[in-house]
Amino acid sequence: PHAQRISLAQKMIFTKFMNVIHLEKPYIYGKYDYRVISYIDDYQTDIKQRVRLKVGGRFILNNTVVEAHSIYAPVAYEKFFNINDAAIEHFAAKDKFMVGLGYAFTNKLRSEFVYYLYRSKNTVENSYATTDVVYQLLLRYYIYEVNYNFK
């Protein structure tokens, strides 16, 4: 099999697109959960496994990078997939959506107001009846600065 090579033009188009929309540090990652669940009512233990996939990043609204006085919007979406059967619980499978608004006071001190929407599957009753909304105010201080300017 031949490895597909990305041309310089393709790299430039993608880089230009990312610069135009000011999407900083987009990411995708997966987590594997090995869960040991103890049911108190019948003293049984169940082992369940799932994979969690998450995509996200942050859109910089008034700059090209996050630095002092930057305003940005963090966004993320996470989906849970059961490997073996779903656990018998009220919040077994989830979808999580997050969007927020952040402000960088300095390069090290930032604050974010974030809105989370959680949609959970109730496997006891087998429905998607539960939806949680969470508002969060974050104050984040970075201990040291990292220079990401790779030139």
Side-chain angles (χ1 to χ4, degrees), residues 61-151:
L61 304 178
N62 68 338
N63 211 337
T64 56
V65 295
V66 174
E67 58 187 13
H69 310 293
S70 294
I71 300 170
Y72 58 94
V75 295
Y77 175 74
E78 185 175 15
K79 176 80 175 164
F80 292 51
F81 298 96
N82 293 310
I83 294 174
N84 51 0
D85 295 333
I88 304 301
E89 60 182 340
H90 290 284
F91 308 104
K94 295 182 182 181
D95 294 322
K96 295 181 178 181
F97 173 74
M98 181 273 287
V99 64
L101 187 64
Y103 181 76
F105 296 101
T106 67
N107 286 345
K108 291 184 172 186
L109 181 63
R110 299 179 188 171
S111 180
E112 295 176 6
F113 179 76
V114 181
Y115 167 82
Y116 289 94
L117 177 65
Y118 298 159
R119 186 171 169 239
S120 301
K121 184 171 185 177
N122 179 340
T123 55
V124 175
E125 299 170 6
N126 204 20
S127 66
Y128 267 105
T130 56
T131 300
D132 301 340
V133 174
V134 177
Y135 299 97
Q136 191 176 66
L137 183 60
L138 297 150
L139 187 60
R140 182 175 292 147
Y141 181 78
Y142 292 91
I143 298 170
Y144 62 92
E145 291 182 45
V146 177
N147 185 355
Y148 290 105
N149 296 327
F150 302 110
K151 293 183 179 179

Side-chain angles (χ1 to χ4, degrees), residues 12-63:
M12 290 173 59
I13 290 169
F14 180 75
T15 303
K16 187 171 184 167
F17 174 73
M18 296 303 277
N19 288 336
V20 167
I21 64 170
H22 300 292
L23 178 60
E24 183 185 56
K25 298 181 182 163
Y27 62 87
I28 181 169
Y29 72 79
K31 294 180 184 178
Y32 167 76
D33 291 342
Y34 183 86
R35 305 171 66 209
V36 179
I37 303 167
S38 297
Y39 298 103
I40 297 171
D41 53 347
D42 60 3
Y43 302 104
Q44 291 190 11
T45 301
D46 202 1
I47 294 175
K48 297 296 178 184
Q49 301 169 62
R50 66 183 177 196
V51 173
R52 300 164 61 167
L53 296 178
K54 186 173 184 179
V55 295
R58 59 182 169 206
F59 292 94
I60 305 169
L61 304 178
N62 68 338
N63 211 337

Side-chain angles (χ1 to χ4, degrees), residues 1-6:
H2 297 286
Q4 184 178 4
R5 293 190 177 157
I6 298 174

